[in-house]
Amino acid sequence: MNASRIHDILKLEPQEQGIRLNGWVRTKRESKSFCFVEVNDGSCMKNLQVIIDASVDGYTDFIGRLATGASVAIEGKLVPSQGKGQKSEVQASMVEVVGDCPGDDYPLQKKHHSFEFLRTIPHLRPRTNTFGAVTRVRNALSFAVHRFFQEQGFVLVHTPIITTSDCEGAGQMFQVTTLPLDEIPKTPEGGVDYSRDFFLKRTGLTVSGQLEGEAYACALGRIYTFGPTFRAEHSNTVRHLSEFYMIEPEAAFFDINDDMDLAEAFLKYVIRFVLDRCPEDMDFFNERIDKTVLSTLDTILSNRFVRMTYTEAIKELEKAKADFEFPVKWGIDLQAEHEKYLTEEVLRKPVILTDYPREIKAFYMKLNDDGKTVRAMDVLVGRLGEIIGGSERETNPDKLTARMAEAGLNEENYKWYLDLRRFGSAPHSGFGLGFERLLLYITGMKNIRDVIPFHRSYQEA
Ligand code: 4AD
Ligand code: MG
């Protein structure tokens, strides 16, 4: 008999024919002549209750081994449940303990564990209700991302992980090298001799697939990337990972307004999809993690995002009575506290800020006619601040070269990028969404380390 998944079994009416299931024991309650076990197989949040009569073959052998965490194979019949809380349960006719789980050593006992503790056992935490739910929602969300872009005619492009270009120009790349670290070859001038390195030059892990994405957008029209991204930021916050997933659409003949429309439609689509696909997990987050999750998502779905320039936002912040740690004046890079104040106190809905000062934004953003601001657009949401960063791209090769020099980039490495402006240049725009930031927002989880299977963050891997 093929095993069924609990997700499917729970939808069945009680029935005569037998069923088989596999899973792990969550709890056991014993009485004199029978016992109840709750089995979970990860297919959904709910457990399946199994009632095992003492007359089942081998009862005295397996009963002691049905411990929390043990894996089991069970055959039986689905019968109407006498108890509250479930429509039906399984009356077992065969029970096999497939893998024992010695209770003395098993770190996941049936009690509340803090997320801090669970972070120390990332290989076992997927067995908890919360991480099961996070993982299923993460899965549905990635599917939604692909669905959205595929429906809109965007082509998925796999951009390289090892690269020579520091897209954000912020010097946050992890270096990739096979040079012997205890005996680094030097040039006559005393610098590192990268011509002896694996790729004959200095390379690192990508901080963004955007630049390579632009090359493909300038041929296929609309593309998106969805892959791992690495940042060696020394940011020890609940919103920063050193390895995270980023989604980056890029579209030719899109200006910044098209880009903002795309970002808004995209966020609404994927949120709606997850709410439809994972109602049980989302109810769990709303009840157990953050009671405002569902109402917050509803605000996103039912409001048009506010659009405002950076300069207007600074004026709003200057009017604020709030006591900011970082003082506000035109030219500052907005801090999380400012972003939260705007979205939570002033506007109470998501906002897209545009036209940031050039000094605080990356070299590739299109310079506005005022010479002071660039055509950037950041999507800010309550609780989190920046969730999306994007822009229209600079297409003027002279302005771009000047911006690269200002940013201290080696033009030699970006010749190919300038080619995109020399040969059939077209206006184009795109954005980057931090996948885990969106998951934090959707689930109400508080720490970004808890929405990725194995987290890598500053000083933790
Ligand atoms: O604003 P960022 O740095 O923009 C870019 O990388 C552009 N190349 C995107 C583009 O236009 N194609 O990063 C984009 C998003 C941020 O808004 C944030 O959601 C997320 O990536 N992000 C991080 N998420 C987790 N941990 C970190 N350390 C992150 N840094 C950025
Ligand atoms: Mg940004």
Side-chain angles (χ1 to χ4, degrees), residues 36-103:
F36 282 119
V37 288
E38 297 271 338
V39 180
N40 189 282
D41 71 354
S43 63
C44 60
M45 167 87 58
K46 284 209 184 77
N47 302 327
L48 183 59
Q49 178 160 290
V50 180
I51 175 162
I52 311 169
D53 199 85
S55 62
V56 172
D57 258 7
Y59 190 81
T60 47
D61 296 332
F62 66 65
I63 188 68
R65 295 168 61 203
L66 287 176
T68 299
S71 60
V72 289
I74 290 173
E75 284 175 15
K77 226 169 46 178
L78 198 63
V79 297
S81 176
Q82 309 295 315
K84 283 200 276 287
Q86 65 274 320
K87 183 172 80 179
S88 42
E89 62 195 17
V90 170
Q91 174 98 50
S93 54
M94 190 287 296
V95 174
E96 182 194 347
V97 177
V98 178
D100 284 296
C101 186

Side-chain angles (χ1 to χ4, degrees), residues 168 231 361 378 386 388-389:
E168 294 309 297
R231 297 207 180 166
K361 288 293 185 189
D378 279 6
E386 179 191 335
I388 283 182

